[in-house]
Amino acid sequence: MEPKPSLKKKTIGGLFWSFGDLIGNQGIQFLIQIILARLLLPEHFGLIGMILVFIALSNSLVDSGFTQALIRERNASQADYSTVFYFNLFVSLLIYGVLFVAAPGISRFFAEPQLVSLVRVLSIGIVINAFAVIPKAMFAKEVNFKAQAKVNLTASILSGIVAVGLAVTGYGVWSLVLRQLSMNAIQSLLFTLSKKWLPSLVFSIASFKRLFGFGWKLLVSGLIDTFYTNVYFLIIGRQYSASQLGYYTNASRFSEIVSQNLAVTILRVTYPVLSSIQDEHERLKQSYKNITKLTAFLIFPVMVGMAAVGEPLVLLVFGEKWLPMVPYFQLLSIAGMLYPILALDLSILQVKGRSDLYLLLEIINKISLTILLVLAVWLELGVIGLIAAAILNTYLEFFINSHFSKREVAYPAAEKVRDLLPVYLVSFLMGGAVWMFGTLLETSLLLQLLLQISAGILFYIAVCRIVGVTELKTVYNLILSIFDKIK
């Protein structure tokens, strides 16, 4: 069923600015990351990696699932927004106090004395972020990503300038800390000024109970997911050196530029749009199916292609001293292939109001990952073994998520596999061809990379056209729609 013009226009407009945000914001951040990687040492990134799990869990606690609850709420009131704001601010201050006191214990756990001051300063960002939660939720609810794109781009540029300046003048790991804090501060300030929203002097118990009733399950599942997303930093930081964690940290961020950031971009547009048609069952299913197929069409070849050109890409971008991160980057790219599909499966449960199933799936999937991680550590398989466990678990999650999500939207795993298998196979076929082509080239790294990428794009488009992958035409029409919008 074709979407209504208003819904289609809203989705295309949201995608345009959301992808603009991705390309501009992440492009700037990636450029800054490259500059800092060349100025700093792997152990500097490793020290920050040790703290990431605590910061990420804290930010999830501050949100408390309220953001998604507000977006899903059809008629959120000023009392709703004000209640969530005050609760978020209170929780952020409480968490900062806990981390301030816990900093020496964290330092002893990793046997890194520097972590005491690093944790206490970097944690300030948790409080700063609490001021931006409501304006961001309002923009997302309106599918207004133009404003968010402008804010994020400005914050990335200014914080990047701060970080590079500090790195050049010898501030080492502190350049990374102050980069994050300045980005948090600029984003919060600009979001508040852009939305021109201020809380009222009201805290509604009724609003809190209603929103928290939906959001608490998302909070718990979000905490579980955040912990396991960052558990690798915890294990590697504890078991291995700061340098190895530094290699893993940059490999993880490098691979996530496409998988997780593109997934977040798609989800933050599709979630409010799909929420608006949550009661139109057939239309919802078709939209969900189309989004899933289109996401796979875009992300599968990019992730496989990144793995195929991993070595020349890392050498060209980061330099010789980062060569040990190549196998980590290649495996993490493969692991990230299914991440957007898994996120869409969980998102549809939120759309249907099944935060209970969302939580159940997080628990089931993380139990399976725990078993695999324990086996990898017990068998002493090293960092490679830990990443291999993540790859295996993504496939287990795919079938588990599909089994439960089909209860809400009739899109079972068998049908989903049939839809995704052509693109999956073509992507790996393309990746193999690109890797082999690279082994035959004897030229500069830049030229080799450009030739491999060009060959991969042409190969993928040609094979997709031969086997009749319909998403090729969908992307073509989407591009035409975006150009029409620009005009």
Side-chain angles (χ1 to χ4, degrees):
M1 181 183 294
E2 286 294 320
K4 295 178 182 178
S6 59
L7 184 66
K8 182 177 180 180
K9 184 177 180 180
K10 181 182 285 190
T11 306
I12 290 173
L15 281 172
F16 173 74
W17 284 107
S18 195
F19 276 112
D21 184 16
L22 173 74
I23 295 170
N25 181 37
Q26 296 301 325
I28 292 295
Q29 289 203 45
F30 180 53
L31 179 61
I32 298 300
Q33 190 78 1
I34 293 170
I35 297 172
L36 292 175
R38 289 183 172 273
L39 291 172
L40 303 175
L41 299 173
E43 48 262 41
H44 292 145
F45 291 90
L47 288 170
I48 298 299
M50 292 174 184
I51 311 172
L52 283 179
V53 63
F54 304 101
I55 301 299
L57 284 172
S58 299
N59 284 324
S60 292
L61 276 170
V62 171
D63 183 2
S64 304
F66 279 122
T67 298
Q68 298 304 320
L70 285 171
I71 293 173
R72 189 177 181 276
E73 191 79 5
R74 291 185 182 273
N75 297 297
S77 66
Q78 174 69 2
D80 292 334
Y81 289 124
S82 299
T83 299
V84 173
F85 173 80
Y86 288 123
F87 178 77
N88 286 348
L89 183 58
F90 170 76
V91 172
S92 70
L93 290 169
L94 181 64
I95 290 172
Y96 177 74
V98 170
L99 286 177
F100 188 93
V101 173
I106 295 172
S107 175
R108 287 192 297 271
F109 178 81
F110 289 108
E112 288 286 352
Q114 296 181 70
L115 290 184
V116 175
S117 53
L118 290 175
V119 169
R120 287 175 171 173
V121 175
L122 192 58
S123 299
I124 296 172
I126 298 166
V127 179
I128 297 173
N129 282 339
F131 288 90
V133 170
I134 299 302
K136 288 171 71 174
M138 288 178 165
F139 282 128
K141 192 176 180 67
E142 298 165 1
V143 198
N144 180 3
F145 295 101
K146 180 179 180 179
Q148 293 191 56
K150 291 178 178 179
V151 169
N152 290 332
L153 186 59
T154 303
S156 294
I157 293 173
L158 295 179
S159 63
I161 292 172
V162 170
V164 172
L166 291 171
V168 169
T169 51
Y171 279 84
V173 68
W174 286 102
S175 60
L176 300 175
V177 172
L178 293 174
R179 175 196 180 190
Q180 189 60 51
L181 286 181
S182 59
M183 180 178 290
N184 295 149
I186 295 167
Q187 284 179 327
S188 293
L189 177 62
L190 293 181
F191 272 125
T192 301
L193 294 175
S194 298
K195 196 59 193 172
K196 297 181 175 64
W197 178 87
L198 291 174
S200 302
L201 295 175
V202 59
F203 186 92
S204 171
I205 300 299
S207 293
F208 179 82
K209 288 181 177 179
R210 187 180 73 258
L211 295 171
F212 193 70
F214 174 81
W216 78 266
K217 303 180 191 74
L218 298 182
L219 166 63
V220 176
S221 58
L223 287 173
I224 294 171
D225 183 61
T226 300
F227 174 77
Y228 277 93
T229 299
N230 294 277
V231 72
Y232 294 90
F233 298 104
L234 201 64
I235 296 173
I236 297 169
R238 173 70 175 178
Q239 296 287 113
Y240 307 101
S241 67
S243 294
Q244 279 185 286
L245 180 55
Y247 295 133
Y248 176 85
T249 300
N250 260 2
S252 177
R253 288 180 175 174
F254 199 14
S255 64
E256 288 172 2
I257 286 174
V258 175
S259 62
Q260 293 197 22
N261 285 310
L262 190 53
V264 168
T265 300
I266 293 171
L267 287 175
R268 69 180 184 175
V269 174
T270 58
Y271 179 71
V273 170
L274 292 177
S275 293
S276 69
I277 56 171
Q278 59 187 277
D279 298 323
E280 302 175 48
H281 304 298
E282 186 58 36
R283 189 179 178 203
L284 179 62
K285 178 200 171 178
Q286 193 58 49
S287 298
Y288 168 49
K289 180 175 180 176
N290 290 341
I291 291 169
T292 299
K293 292 168 66 178
L294 182 60
T295 300
F297 175 80
L298 294 171
I299 290 180
F300 283 7
V302 175
M303 300 310 296
V304 174
M306 285 169 61
V309 300
E311 185 170 336
L313 183 60
V314 169
L315 286 174
L316 180 66
V317 171
F318 292 102
E320 192 77 29
K321 68 180 177 182
W322 289 95
L323 187 60
M325 75 175 261
V326 170
Y328 300 166
F329 170 70
Q330 291 173 319
L331 288 173
L332 286 168
S333 296
I334 299 300
M337 281 182 66
L338 287 180
Y339 178 83
I341 307 300
L342 302 176
L344 279 169
D345 287 340
L346 295 176
S347 177
I348 204 68
L349 295 179
Q350 295 182 50
V351 168
K352 297 297 289 185
R354 294 304 306 271
S355 53
D356 56 335
L357 272 182
Y358 190 110
L359 175 57
L360 177 63
L361 283 177
E362 285 291 355
I363 293 172
I364 293 173
N365 292 330
K366 284 352 181 231
I367 288 174
S368 68
L369 180 57
T370 299
I371 294 171
L372 292 172
L373 288 176
V374 169
L375 284 173
V377 173
W378 181 54
L379 295 173
E380 298 182 351
L381 299 178
V383 179
I384 297 294
L386 293 172
I387 301 174
I391 295 175
L392 178 58
N393 197 66
T394 58
Y395 288 91
L396 294 175
E397 280 192 54
F398 174 82
F399 289 101
I400 294 171
N401 288 3
S402 298
H403 173 74
F404 283 93
S405 64
K406 75 176 182 181
R407 299 180 182 181
E408 304 303 318
V409 180
Y411 192 26
E415 183 180 352
K416 195 177 295 182
V417 168
R418 286 195 299 272
D419 287 340
L420 302 184
L421 190 58
V423 168
Y424 183 87
L425 294 176
V426 172
S427 296
F428 274 102
L429 185 62
M430 177 273 297
V434 167
W435 179 79
M436 290 182 63
F437 179 54
T439 62
L440 301 175
L441 294 174
E442 295 183 4
T443 182
S444 66
L445 288 174
L446 178 59
L447 183 57
Q448 176 184 340
L449 199 58
L450 291 174
L451 289 173
Q452 283 184 282
I453 292 173
S454 300
I457 293 172
L458 293 174
F459 185 96
Y460 183 70
I461 292 174
V463 176
C464 282
R465 188 169 183 178
I466 291 170
V467 301
V469 175
T470 57
E471 283 66 44
L472 186 62
K473 185 176 180 180
T474 302
V475 171
Y476 175 74
N477 290 333
L478 180 61
I479 292 172
L480 288 181
S481 298
I482 290 174
F483 278 120
D484 288 341
K485 181 177 178 63
I486 295 174
K487 294 177 184 178

